[in-house]
Amino acid sequence: LCNLCILCVSVVDELRVKPHHRDTEDTEVAQRRGRMKKILITGGGGFIGSALLKHLARDHSCLCFGHGRNYAELRASIGGDVEFIEGDLSDAKLLSEMVGASQAVIHVAGSGGEVPCLSDPVTAVLTHVQGTHRLLQEVMRHGIESFIFASTIAVYGTYKARPMPLKEDMEPRPDDFYAALKATAEQLLIDAGHAQILRLANVYGYGTGLHLRSSGVIGRFVEAALNDESLQIYGDGSQSIDYVHIDDVCTAFEAALKRPGEQFVYNISGGQPATIKTLAELTVRLAAEFKHPPEVIYAEAPPNKIWPDRWLSIAKAEAELGWSPRVGLQAGIHELLEHSSPRASLSKSEGASV
C-alpha cells in the first residue's frame, strides 16, 4: 500500500494542468434535446460496462472501449449507435482520440475484484491507478465535464466492523488490495477537482446475459440451483450484505450524466441488506418454478474468517440525484433463474459456496 501512496502522490503532481474550454455548441444542442452526442464507456465489454452500453445506446451515441473479448456477442445483441473499439488504457494516442470524440466518459474498466487483482498485481495497478490517471489527464485536456467513475462499497472496508449503514462522509478504510486501488483512484479524481464517483454495492442481474458469474453469491446460488446442486453456506448465513440490480446501476449512471461539471460521491445500492441465508432460501423457493428445489447445506466457517455486516445508505443519492432502486431481490433472482435455466440454453457451471 505504501507503494500505491507514492504512486498516487507522483501522478497527482502531474495533474496540475488547466483544462482548456472546448467548443460546446454541438454538445449544448444535444443536451437540450436530452441526448449526448457521444458517451465513451471504458470496460464496455464487462458485466457493468456492457449493461450500461445496452441501456444508454437506446438514447445516446456510444463508444465501447475494451479488450474486445465479447464484442461479437454484443454487436449481435445491442442495437443503437454503438462503435466498438478494441484497445488498452495504456495506448495514449488512442485514448486521446476517443476522449476527444466524446462529450461524456464513464469509467468502469478494471480487473474485476480482489482475486484477479492479487493474481496479477502489476496489471491491477496499471489498470486501476495508472489507467485512471491517464484517462483523467485526457478528460481534463479535452474539457469533458461528465467523467463518472465506478467505485465500490469495498473502499469503506471489508473485514473490519463499522457503524451501519455506510455513508458517503465516512472515511474510506480499504483493507484489501482491490479496495486500496479503487480508493487511490478516487483520491486522484478528488485531488484533481474532478470527482464524480458512484460507490456501488454488490452488483447482480442478467444484464446482457454474458456475465452470470459476475453476480457473486446470487449468481453462484442460481447456477447451483439450476444444476441440481446444493447451495452451500459457510457459518450460519447471518451475515448481511448489500446487493443492487444491474438495471438500477444503469439508471444511476444515467442520472449522474445529467450533472455535468458538478462534483459528487454517491452510494448506489439496493436500499436494504439481506442475509446470506435469506438469499439462499429465496433462490430455493424461486427455483422450484424451474427445477426441483435444491438443498441448502451449512459448513463450518474457515478459522479466523470474519464477515461483518455491510450495507450502504442511499439517502444522499435519493435526495440529490433523484435516484432510487426499483428492482427487488425477488424479481432480480427470478430474472436470473428464468434466463439461465436450461430452456434458455445457457451452459452449466460449478456449484456455489460462500
Side-chain angles (χ1 to χ4, degrees), residues 156 165-170 190 195-199 255 259 262-269 271 312-325:
Y156 294 108
L166 300 164
K167 299 181 180 180
E168 292 88 345
D169 59 0
M170 295 173 69
I190 292 169
Q196 297 179 328
I197 299 166
L198 300 184
R199 291 174 177 161
R259 308 284 291 275
E262 299 183 23
Q263 294 197 60
F264 52 76
V265 178
Y266 292 120
N267 290 335
I268 302 298
S269 84
L312 296 173
S313 167
I314 58 172
K316 183 180 176 184
E318 290 178 318
E320 298 180 10
L321 198 59
W323 171 90
S324 60

Side-chain angles (χ1 to χ4, degrees), residues 96-350:
S96 180
E97 292 174 353
M98 291 189 305
V99 174
S102 306
Q103 277 72 50
V105 177
I106 295 177
H107 183 30
V108 296
S111 49
E114 178 73 351
V115 173
C117 284
L118 290 176
S119 66
D120 190 353
V122 173
T123 297
V125 172
L126 292 175
T127 300
H128 287 281
V129 180
Q130 188 181 55
T132 300
H133 162 56
R134 287 178 169 173
L135 190 57
L136 174 59
Q137 282 189 312
E138 293 302 327
V139 163
M140 295 178 69
R141 184 170 292 117
H142 290 281
I144 303 295
E145 293 190 331
S146 287
F147 175 37
I148 306 170
F149 176 65
S151 189
T152 171
I153 186 176
V155 300
Y156 294 108
T158 299
Y159 301 108
K160 296 179 180 179
R162 301 190 70 176
M164 293 292 122
L166 300 164
K167 299 181 180 180
E168 292 88 345
D169 59 0
M170 295 173 69
E171 177 189 6
R173 295 180 184 174
D175 52 13
D176 63 32
F177 187 41
Y178 169 70
L181 295 176
K182 281 291 192 178
T184 302
E186 279 194 11
Q187 196 61 50
L188 287 175
L189 302 175
I190 292 169
D191 289 348
H194 233 293
Q196 297 179 328
I197 299 166
L198 300 184
R199 291 174 177 161
L200 309 180
N202 302 284
V203 184
Y204 80 105
Y206 182 70
T208 55
L210 302 177
H211 300 276
L212 176 60
R213 292 187 182 183
S214 296
S215 289
V217 173
I218 290 177
R220 295 196 295 273
F221 280 170
V222 166
E223 285 186 310
L226 294 176
N227 289 335
D228 296 318
E229 298 170 350
S230 60
L231 278 57
Q232 182 170 335
I233 296 176
Y234 290 122
D236 62 6
S238 62
Q239 175 201 5
S240 291
I241 58 176
D242 200 347
Y243 267 96
V244 59
H245 194 271
I246 185 64
D247 290 353
D248 288 326
V249 170
C250 290
T251 59
F253 275 94
E254 187 174 33
L257 283 170
K258 299 175 183 177
R259 308 284 291 275
E262 299 183 23
Q263 294 197 60
F264 52 76
V265 178
Y266 292 120
N267 290 335
I268 302 298
S269 84
Q272 58 183 358
T275 66
I276 298 293
K277 180 179 180 180
T278 296
L279 295 176
E281 291 174 346
L282 184 56
T283 302
V284 168
R285 179 167 60 83
L286 294 173
E289 178 181 337
F290 306 91
K291 303 274 288 188
H292 181 74
E295 178 187 8
V296 178
I297 60 175
Y298 293 84
E300 184 177 353
N304 301 319
K305 190 71 173 179
I306 301 174
W307 291 307
D309 296 339
R310 289 191 312 150
W311 69 89
L312 296 173
S313 167
I314 58 172
K316 183 180 176 184
E318 290 178 318
E320 298 180 10
L321 198 59
W323 171 90
S324 60
R326 296 186 176 183
V327 183
L329 282 170
Q330 179 166 321
I333 293 175
H334 185 276
E335 174 196 50
L336 277 173
L337 287 162
E338 181 177 27
H339 289 292
S340 307
S341 65
R343 68 192 185 207
S345 302
L346 288 184
S347 62
K348 294 183 178 181
S349 60
E350 301 97 356

